Amino acid sequence: MTAVTDLKAHGMAGTFYTISGWIGLPGFLTLANLQTAVADGDEIGGKTVNNSDLPTLSTPEAQREICQGRNVLLADGFNVTDFAYPFADLNAEDETLVKACGFNSGRGVGNIASIDPGACTYPNCPYAETIPPADPYQINTPDDAEQTTTLADMEKTVTNAESHGGGLLAFSFHQICDTSTSGCDPVYSWSPTLFNNFLTWLQVQEFFNGVQVKTIAQVIGGTVQPAVTAPTVPAAPVGTNALVNPTLTTADSVTPANPACWSQDSYGTNTPSFSWSSTGGAGGGGQETINMSGLSSGDALLFTTQDLGQCAPTVVAGDSYQLGVDYESTVPVFFTVYGRAADGTWSYLTQSPTFAPSSGWTPATWLTPPVPSTVTALSYGMTIPSNGTLSTSSYSMVDEGSGVPPAAGIGVNALQNPLLQTADGTGSNPACWLTTGYGTNSPAYSWSPTGGQTGGEETINMTSWTSGDAELITPFDNGNCAPTVTAGGVYTLSVYYESSVPVFLTLYSRNATTGVWGYWTQSQPLPAASGWTLATWSTPAVPSTVNGASFGMTIASVGTLSTSNYSLARSS
């Protein structure tokens, strides 16, 4: 925005090549910033969705990056006619794609004589690009302005062109900022003072020597072509693994130390180290290991590369996906899931419950909620959020279709971990059970994998109570833990309990259309019991609008309640 302001103050305009997927991210221009630039006379050009290095991509993926980046900007109201190659890296195929996506030009960097040490010099490189450029889809330029570039260097580049027949000098600036400012690149940036001085000097050249400062669109000309939609990647069929390189056996072609189609990332204050091997994983595949140290916040993970389809699998809105991985870990871990919007941008979507530490290869699976209508692709990975070591191998992401898992048959206990014997990833709660409550009260929860009527037990000690209640219930999810139920069916709920006060069973239901959970009904009060006592209760017939159920035994007064050996089974 410093450049926008200075250009306007000097009666000039520039071309701002914009990475569409970065608009509005911290430290990058917002849509309002771009609109201000256009109002001041500047041009908005294209530079892909994710600033991807085009020659490293497959042809369809490169086409998606180029076309979709332009289409997003067109949809934002900008007349986008000119393109800049990320990293100034291109080949003949990329030029063809830029033209096919509706651009009138493509800009590289280099091949024009520059003053910088080691730069190409005349006569090996001309003093300016021709007007029009010999190849409008590879416009040659002086080298990028960097911290080491002096004002005298920039001026000399202009006067050399003036004295050798003129032409086009497309000066490239990555950032106009002071290196003392947070986020200012220490190499690929130029001083605001030098930039302002250069524009002032150019004003003199305009007046006395006929220099003209124009946008690339003004030099190249041409009409604004309509949007071009690149071929998309179809979603994998139901029941098949949608991931590329799921066993981590294939190396990345650009970074051979990493597995293809997988990326490493971390955030917060921590020091993770990543290592990959094409062997040693579960089932004979490869493995990725994260050693986390120095953590005071954040986490780290290996996840599906977040692109436009070459790696990240396309998904079907409304369907749920079974995520899987084999893992070894010294600490609790969990899945983190990201979603891609229609404009190609990625954001956090959801995460799974925690998985317990494991000293040997152990499968972890989790069924996602139904994919929102706004999400076109998923990316996920297993996350380590504390100091320790995590190894992963043999990933899978399988479309399980719309709806929820099938309901258990008549007489079958539909609950997961009904005896409360298995811990969740925290090690302090039973897997597939959730402690909860509401109101003004003070419950203390404790769990043991032993000591129950059969198996483990959960104890709630209510020390003060004004309103509300507390309970242990099946989590409100879409099938990982909460059992699917059959409309019209009647279910028998049972649990063994000990309690110093009367208690009751509370039943919740999941709406079959929206997936939203809510209170359904509750049993009659059950008397206090000094020893393990079986409580049973039959539900009303399941409404046609319900496809899932959750229940628990509720304590709603000062006292102590212990529960064990749960069951939820269809009786008719």
Side-chain angles (χ1 to χ4, degrees), residues 39-431:
D40 289 348
D42 297 310
E43 175 193 1
I44 302 302
K47 200 183 180 188
T48 74
V49 176
N50 296 304
N51 200 39
S52 299
D53 192 355
L54 295 174
T56 69
L57 305 179
S58 67
T59 299
E61 182 72 3
Q63 186 176 6
R64 286 188 286 271
E65 282 282 353
I66 297 165
C67 287
Q68 188 163 333
R70 178 172 186 262
N71 294 348
V72 169
L73 294 171
L74 288 173
D76 286 336
F78 304 116
N79 295 324
V80 185
T81 58
D82 302 289
F83 182 80
Y85 298 93
F87 312 104
D89 195 11
L90 70 149
N91 55 32
E93 186 175 75
D94 297 325
E95 289 192 54
T96 300
L97 293 176
V98 169
K99 183 176 182 180
C101 286
F103 287 101
N104 297 337
S105 78
R107 192 218 71 195
V109 171
N111 300 320
I112 296 299
S114 297
I115 306 300
D116 290 343
C120 186
T121 58
Y122 186 83
N124 294 321
C125 288
Y127 284 113
E129 174 65 275
T130 58
I131 301 178
D135 180 357
Y137 292 96
Q138 188 176 359
I139 298 174
N140 296 314
T141 78
D143 287 352
D144 289 326
E146 301 179 14
Q147 277 294 313
T148 56
T149 305
T150 66
L151 180 60
D153 292 340
M154 301 291 279
E155 294 173 354
K156 185 65 174 176
T157 301
V158 176
T159 57
N160 278 340
E162 288 175 355
S163 60
H164 290 82
L168 168 63
L169 293 175
F171 286 105
S172 174
F173 303 92
H174 285 268
Q175 290 178 304
I176 303 298
C177 55
D178 192 301
T179 54
S180 63
T181 303
S182 176
C184 187
D185 192 285
V187 177
Y188 290 101
S189 61
W190 212 43
S191 158
T193 300
L194 293 182
F195 184 71
N196 186 73
N197 291 343
F198 182 50
L199 299 184
T200 300
W201 180 84
L202 282 174
Q203 285 182 309
V204 176
Q205 299 302 302
E206 286 180 313
F207 187 80
F208 289 105
N209 296 329
V211 167
Q212 299 178 55
V213 177
K214 294 182 177 290
T215 66
I216 292 295
Q218 290 171 330
V219 176
I220 299 298
T223 61
V224 180
Q225 301 181 53
V228 177
T229 302
T232 57
V233 179
V238 172
T240 61
N241 191 352
L243 299 178
V244 180
N245 191 27
T247 56
L248 310 185
T249 51
T250 303
D252 185 80
S253 60
V254 178
T255 311
N258 296 330
C261 279
W262 294 88
S263 299
Q264 305 160 341
D265 195 23
S266 65
Y267 86 97
T269 303
N270 51 69
T271 309
S273 65
F274 297 87
S275 62
W276 168 69
S277 171
S278 60
T279 61
Q287 63 175 319
E288 177 87 13
T289 298
I290 306 172
N291 287 307
M292 176 67 84
S293 62
L295 185 144
S296 57
S297 66
D299 56 45
L301 76 165
L302 179 78
F303 61 95
T304 318
T305 297
Q306 295 176 355
D307 58 17
L308 300 181
Q310 180 170 309
C311 294
T314 302
V315 293
V316 178
D319 284 7
S320 294
Y321 285 77
Q322 187 79 34
L323 309 182
V325 68
D326 286 299
Y327 77 103
E328 297 177 334
S329 180
T330 61
V331 293
V333 290
F334 56 87
F335 288 131
T336 302
V337 185
Y338 305 89
R340 189 184 69 209
D343 63 3
T345 57
W346 288 86
S347 60
Y348 169 83
L349 190 60
T350 187
Q351 68 184 54
S352 73
T354 54
F355 298 95
S358 175
S359 59
W361 288 116
T362 300
T365 61
W366 183 63
L367 187 68
T368 71
V371 173
S373 60
T374 56
V375 170
T376 60
L378 292 181
S379 167
Y380 83 99
M382 181 163 268
T383 301
I384 180 169
S386 56
N387 291 326
T389 301
L390 166 67
S391 295
T392 55
S393 177
S394 190
Y395 286 76
S396 63
M397 187 182 117
V398 178
D399 186 351
E400 297 293 341
S402 60
V404 295
I410 291 178
V412 177
N413 189 353
L415 298 177
Q416 302 288 328
N417 193 25
L419 302 182
L420 310 185
Q421 292 176 305
T422 304
D424 68 5
T426 67
S428 58
N429 295 309

Side-chain angles (χ1 to χ4, degrees), residues 20 27 90-91 109 113 156 186 215 227 257 332 356 386-387 394 402 448 477 494 498 507 509 514 523 539 554 565 568:
S20 68
L90 70 149
N91 55 32
V109 171
K156 185 65 174 176
T215 66
S386 56
N387 291 326
S394 190
S402 60
S448 171
D477 61 25
S494 68
E498 296 177 335
L507 184 63
S509 64
T514 65
S523 72
T539 71
T554 303
N565 199 350
L568 183 152

